[in-house]
Amino acid sequence: MSIKSLSRKLLLVSNNIAILLVAIVVILVFYSQNPNFLHDDNIRNIMRSMAFVGILTIGMGMLLIGGEVDLSSGAVAGLSGVLVAMLINTGIPWGWAIVITIAFGASLGLISALLVNVLGFMHFIATLGLMSVYQGVILVITRNVFIPVPNEGFRLIGGTSFGNIVPLPFIIMLVLMIAYTLVLSNTGFGRSVYMCGGNRKSARLVGIKPKKISYFLYINNGALGALAGVIITSQMATASPVAGQTGSIDAITAAVLGGVAFKGGSGGMFGCFIGILLINSFSAGLTFVGFPQYWQIVARGSLLVLALCLDYVISGARSRALEHALRSHN
C-alpha cells in the first residue's frame, strides 16, 4: 500500500469514527428528551426514511468520488415515483412497471452525462437546470395532486417489515451498499473511479477514459434515483408531487458527512451509511420533539454547510498529512 493511500485511509477512518460518535450523541440527546424516540415504531420509521435517502446517496457518493455531482437526482426520484404509479394504474404489471421506471431513470442519467461530456456544460449548471425541468414536469403531470396506487403487490415492497422492525427497503439499501463497496474496493472499475476523482490527467496517462467512467456514473445515478422513487411511492402507496425535493441535498450532505471528498477521489459506502444515519436521526428527532417544520429546513441546510466545512478541513489535513508522509519517506 502506498503512503498516499494509507494516509487517505487513516483520515477516512478517523472521520467515520467521529461522525458515528456524533450520530450516537444525537440519538441519545433525543432519547433523553423522549424515551419513545427509540420505540420500535420510530426506529422502523427512521429506517424507512434512511432507505430512500440511502439509495440516492449511493449514486451520489459514486458520482462525488468520481469527481462529478448531480443536483437532479431527487427530482429524478420524484418523477420516477409518479411514472411507476401511472404505469401501474394503467394496468401494467407492477414488476414490469418497476423495470420500465428504472430504465427511464437511467435514460435521465444519460441526458445529464451528455450535457456534461458532449456539450461541455458544468455539472452544477447542467443538473440544476434538469432538476427544474423535472420538477416542472411533475407538477404538469400530476397537477399538484397525489396519485394513489391501490395495487397490493406493489405496496408490499415498501410495506413489508422483518421482525416487525426492519423494513424491506432498508435491507435493499444495505445490500446495494455492500455491493457497491465491493465494486469500489475490489475491482479495476472502482479504482478507476477513485483515480478519475483524484486526478483526471493522471488517470488518462494510465489508460483510463474519464468520460466513459462519467457516463456510467450518471446513468447509474439515474437508475438508483428511479429505484428510490419506486420505493418511496410504494411506502406511501401514493405518488407525491413533492417527493424527493430535498433528496439531492440530503444525499450530498450524507455523502460528505460520511467522508466522501466533495472534490472527488476519496470516500466509501460505509461512511455514506453513517452520514445517512446521522441526518435521518437528526431529522426524525426534530420532528419527534415538535420542532417547527420551517426551522427544520434551516437546520438541514446548516447540516450541509457543516458537512462542506468539515470536508474543507479534512481535505486540508489530508494534504498536510500526505506532504509530511512523503517528506518522512524521502
Side-chain angles (χ1 to χ4, degrees), residues 102-280:
I102 291 175
F104 172 75
S107 70
L108 296 183
L110 177 60
I111 292 173
S112 297
L114 290 171
L115 291 179
V116 172
N117 292 297
V118 176
L119 298 183
F121 292 168
M122 291 180 62
H123 43 227
F124 271 105
I125 302 302
T127 58
L128 180 63
L130 289 174
M131 177 187 73
S132 298
V133 171
Y134 300 153
Q135 288 177 342
V137 170
I138 292 170
L139 295 176
V140 169
I141 292 174
T142 64
R143 297 181 182 179
N144 206 25
V145 174
F146 288 73
I147 303 174
V149 187
N151 187 287
E152 290 297 327
F154 176 70
R155 291 164 66 171
L156 282 175
I157 298 172
T160 301
S161 294
F162 296 91
N164 202 33
I165 295 178
V166 184
L168 176 59
F170 182 80
I171 294 175
I172 293 173
M173 179 202 73
L174 286 182
V175 170
L176 286 172
M177 283 199 158
I178 292 169
Y180 278 83
T181 296
L182 294 174
V183 168
L184 283 172
S185 6
N186 300 313
T187 68
F189 173 78
R191 289 186 289 274
S192 297
V193 172
Y194 280 111
M195 288 195 69
C196 288
N199 191 319
R200 288 205 164 199
K201 290 182 179 179
S202 298
R204 290 191 188 96
L205 290 175
V206 297
I208 296 172
K209 298 179 179 178
K211 283 191 176 182
K212 184 179 289 188
I213 300 295
S214 176
Y215 273 103
F216 176 85
L217 294 177
Y218 277 110
I219 292 171
N220 173 71
N221 188 61
L224 288 173
L227 176 60
V230 167
I231 284 176
I232 197 171
T233 297
S234 177
Q235 287 176 332
M236 298 171 62
T238 301
S240 167
V242 296
Q245 282 190 345
T246 63
S248 300
I249 300 301
D250 289 342
I252 292 172
T253 304
V256 176
L257 278 174
V260 175
F262 194 72
K263 294 182 180 179
S266 180
M269 290 298 122
F270 178 69
C272 287
F273 176 81
I274 297 173
I276 297 159
L277 175 64
L278 174 57
I279 66 171
N280 280 276

Side-chain angles (χ1 to χ4, degrees), residues 243-321:
Q245 282 190 345
T246 63
S248 300
I249 300 301
D250 289 342
I252 292 172
T253 304
V256 176
L257 278 174
V260 175
F262 194 72
K263 294 182 180 179
S266 180
M269 290 298 122
F270 178 69
C272 287
F273 176 81
I274 297 173
I276 297 159
L277 175 64
L278 174 57
I279 66 171
N280 280 276
S281 300
F282 182 67
S283 297
L286 292 178
T287 302
F288 211 73
V289 299
F291 206 65
Q293 183 68 34
Y294 43 85
W295 277 109
Q296 290 187 35
I297 298 172
V298 175
R300 290 162 77 94
S302 300
L303 200 59
L304 175 58
V305 174
L306 175 63
L308 294 174
C309 291
L310 184 64
D311 177 63
Y312 177 81
V313 172
I314 291 174
S315 297
R318 184 184 295 120
S319 299
R320 290 190 296 272

Side-chain angles (χ1 to χ4, degrees), residues 29-168:
V29 167
F30 286 120
Y31 175 73
S32 68
Q33 296 295 311
N34 189 335
N36 287 329
F37 183 68
L38 291 181
H39 189 273
D40 290 354
D41 290 339
N42 197 49
I43 291 174
R44 183 169 57 250
N45 289 335
I46 291 173
M47 287 183 176
R48 281 164 59 92
S49 62
M50 283 180 69
F52 174 71
V53 177
I55 292 172
L56 286 178
T57 304
I58 294 170
M60 188 68 75
M62 291 286 289
L63 272 170
L64 289 172
I65 291 171
E68 308 276 1
V69 73
D70 187 348
L71 299 179
S72 70
S73 57
V76 169
L79 184 55
S80 298
V82 170
L83 175 63
V84 74
M86 294 176 66
L87 291 173
I88 292 172
N89 288 343
T90 58
I92 295 176
W94 63 266
W96 280 109
I98 292 173
V99 171
I100 293 169
T101 300
I102 291 175
F104 172 75
S107 70
L108 296 183
L110 177 60
I111 292 173
S112 297
L114 290 171
L115 291 179
V116 172
N117 292 297
V118 176
L119 298 183
F121 292 168
M122 291 180 62
H123 43 227
F124 271 105
I125 302 302
T127 58
L128 180 63
L130 289 174
M131 177 187 73
S132 298
V133 171
Y134 300 153
Q135 288 177 342
V137 170
I138 292 170
L139 295 176
V140 169
I141 292 174
T142 64
R143 297 181 182 179
N144 206 25
V145 174
F146 288 73
I147 303 174
V149 187
N151 187 287
E152 290 297 327
F154 176 70
R155 291 164 66 171
L156 282 175
I157 298 172
T160 301
S161 294
F162 296 91
N164 202 33
I165 295 178
V166 184
L168 176 59

